[in-house]
Amino acid sequence: MPLINLPDFAGDLLAEFTGRRTERVDTPIIQPAEPFLDMAGEDLRRRIFMTESETGASLCLRPEFTIPVCLRHIETATGTPKRYSYLGEIFRQRREGGHEFYQAGIEDLGDRDTASADARAIGDAIAILSRVVPGKALSVTLGDQAVFEAVVQALGLPSGWQKRLIHAFGNMMQLEAMLARLASPQPVTGLDPHVLDYLNRGDEQGLVTHIDSTMQATGYSTNASRSPQEIARRLREKLVLSETHLDDAAFGVLEEFLSLSVPLADASAALAGFADAAGLELKTALKGFDTRVAALADAGVDTSIIDYRAAFGRPLDYYTGLVFEVTVEGSTAVLAGGGRFDRLMTLLGAKDHIPAVGFALWLDRIETARAA
């Protein structure tokens, strides 16, 4: 389908994609909604334009390209490594700007040398923006979800709290609210006394039997989406989460980590110093971080324009490691953003683990930056 109203620099983008040996792909504008609702994250979910098929299946207007490109790769059974590029319209509700706009980008699938692939993604984003926004000084903010996950795990929090904190990574307001709850736990209220008694005694089988009999008596079991065992597990997890208290020392460690914000050249030393002072075992995560920094230097990327922020994330749930955004220096408008999403391909149905990294370019914001 021919693209209309494209910005005048679209040809430069396509030339860059060709020069970087990517395969140009397009995907249908109407997409199955389930993958986005399950994996894209709360921020994107509430911006999606939903519709239905004549059979009642949930559909949506394409809100981004990463999931459709990955689904297409799986459906066509194409081997890896594979580099895809795209340029097309996406549709999502926004506070500023139109709800229908163009996005372009590159998805890099299957490269087992993840550090080099990460460096290539950042380098490509910077180089392409340098061509289409000439004469503008660029600034890159880099985060690493894998390092954050390692810190949370090293603190020994229950798995439920680890999942909640990791899910909130990048949303500082939500993260601070969770930390406040950990510092001052609130008791669970409104539970049936019998349920609470089973939970307090640790009688899981008794709790499952009680829930099952209650569901049978009320007729709820015929329409229930969860089994008595799953309901019991969730209730037990809820009680554990409500009783978990993060002591002052651990709270201070998390706050200190989230406050780290340094030039990338100083990030490895800052993270190592933090881990030593806090007594946390982060060697695996920090080795991955250091390897990426070295790969950026080897790829000739100007690391002087890159800052590392420990609390920085992006509002998409499928990221697993590197996350980054590129702006014009002094501006808050994100021109390019991306990261690593190593679990996404498997979740979408790929039979084998496929490491993946990519980035998107916001063409309307680039056009504004060019005009400025």
Side-chain angles (χ1 to χ4, degrees):
M1 185 176 72
L3 300 174
I4 58 174
N5 299 323
L6 274 171
D8 58 8
F9 59 87
D12 290 338
L13 288 177
L14 296 178
E16 286 285 336
F17 293 158
T18 300
R20 293 169 197 285
R21 299 182 180 180
T22 66
E23 178 184 324
R24 169 90 183 278
V25 295
D26 195 11
T27 59
I29 287 176
I30 303 295
Q31 291 282 324
E34 186 178 357
F36 300 98
L37 299 176
D38 288 347
M39 301 169 205
E42 181 181 346
D43 184 72
L44 183 60
R45 280 195 293 269
R46 63 172 179 261
R47 302 177 190 276
I48 292 176
F49 289 103
M50 297 286 295
T51 185
E52 282 189 356
S53 71
E54 60 182 9
T55 61
S58 293
L59 302 171
C60 67
L61 295 178
R62 182 176 60 205
E64 56 104 66
F65 270 95
T66 298
I67 287 175
V69 168
C70 291
L71 284 170
R72 182 187 182 280
H73 176 83
I74 294 168
E75 290 165 2
T76 55
T78 308
T80 58
K82 193 79 173 181
R83 303 193 79 211
Y84 295 107
S85 60
Y86 58 84
L87 193 163
E89 290 171 293
I90 64 171
F91 307 82
R92 66 171 79 166
Q93 300 177 59
R94 295 196 292 178
R95 297 183 187 90
E96 299 177 5
H99 301 326
E100 174 184 347
F101 51 98
Y102 283 103
Q103 200 170 73
I106 294 176
E107 308 295 357
D108 201 332
L109 310 181
D111 191 335
R112 302 288 170 179
D113 186 347
T114 57
S116 292
D118 285 355
R120 184 166 57 242
I122 296 171
D124 283 350
I126 293 171
I128 292 171
L129 286 174
S130 295
R131 175 170 177 174
V132 298
V133 193
K136 303 282 188 181
L138 299 176
S139 176
V140 182
T141 301
L142 183 149
D144 193 324
Q145 181 157 330
V147 175
F148 177 71
E149 290 184 15
V151 171
V152 171
Q153 185 176 8
L155 287 172
L157 288 167
S159 61
W161 265 116
Q162 289 186 38
K163 290 177 184 176
R164 287 188 174 197
L165 291 170
I166 291 165
H167 183 73
F169 180 66
N171 185 333
M172 204 58 204
M173 187 178 297
Q174 188 179 358
L175 205 54
E176 287 177 345
M178 289 186 179
L179 291 177
R181 284 185 60 188
L182 275 168
S184 303
Q186 300 295 318
V188 174
T189 59
L191 285 180
D192 179 282
H194 297 294
V195 169
L196 193 57
D197 181 54
Y198 285 120
L199 286 169
N200 288 331
R201 288 190 286 111
D203 184 357
E204 185 164 345
Q205 187 52 53
L207 177 60
V208 170
T209 302
H210 173 75
I211 292 170
D212 187 39
S213 61
T214 302
M215 291 171 71
Q216 296 288 346
T218 59
Y220 179 73
S221 58
T222 57
N223 298 311
S225 60
R226 297 192 180 102
S227 67
Q229 290 81 2
E230 186 177 359
I231 294 172
R233 179 183 61 77
R234 286 173 176 257
L235 286 169
R236 186 176 68 253
E237 184 180 79
K238 186 176 182 180
L239 187 66
V240 169
L241 293 178
S242 71
E243 293 175 344
T244 302
H245 175 257
L246 194 63
D247 61 45
D248 291 345
F251 187 85
V253 166
L254 256 182
E255 284 207 315
E256 182 183 350
F257 171 75
L258 292 171
S259 70
L260 285 176
S261 181
V262 294
L264 186 64
D266 302 328
S268 293
L271 285 169
F274 160 79
D276 288 343
L280 299 182
E281 176 52 63
L282 305 177
K283 285 183 180 178
T284 301
L286 297 190
K287 181 180 179 182
F289 187 93
D290 294 346
T291 304
R292 184 193 302 122
V293 173
L296 282 163
D298 291 343
V301 177
D302 180 7
T303 57
S304 69
I305 68 171
I306 305 177
D307 289 323
Y308 166 70
R309 282 205 293 119
F312 173 72
R314 303 197 72 240
L316 289 169
D317 282 357
Y318 49 64
Y319 287 124
T320 56
L322 165 76
V323 282
F324 72 94
E325 288 180 347
V326 189
T327 64
V328 170
E329 193 174 278
S331 170
T332 59
V334 177
L335 306 186
R340 176 157 292 281
F341 43 98
D342 284 348
R343 289 191 289 262
L344 182 60
M345 298 295 293
T346 306
L347 291 172
L348 290 174
K351 293 180 180 179
D352 301 316
H353 171 71
I354 301 175
V357 66
F359 65 91
L361 299 155
W362 298 75
L363 272 60
D364 56 340
R365 297 174 185 170
I366 292 172
E367 197 164 26
T368 301
R370 284 165 62 91

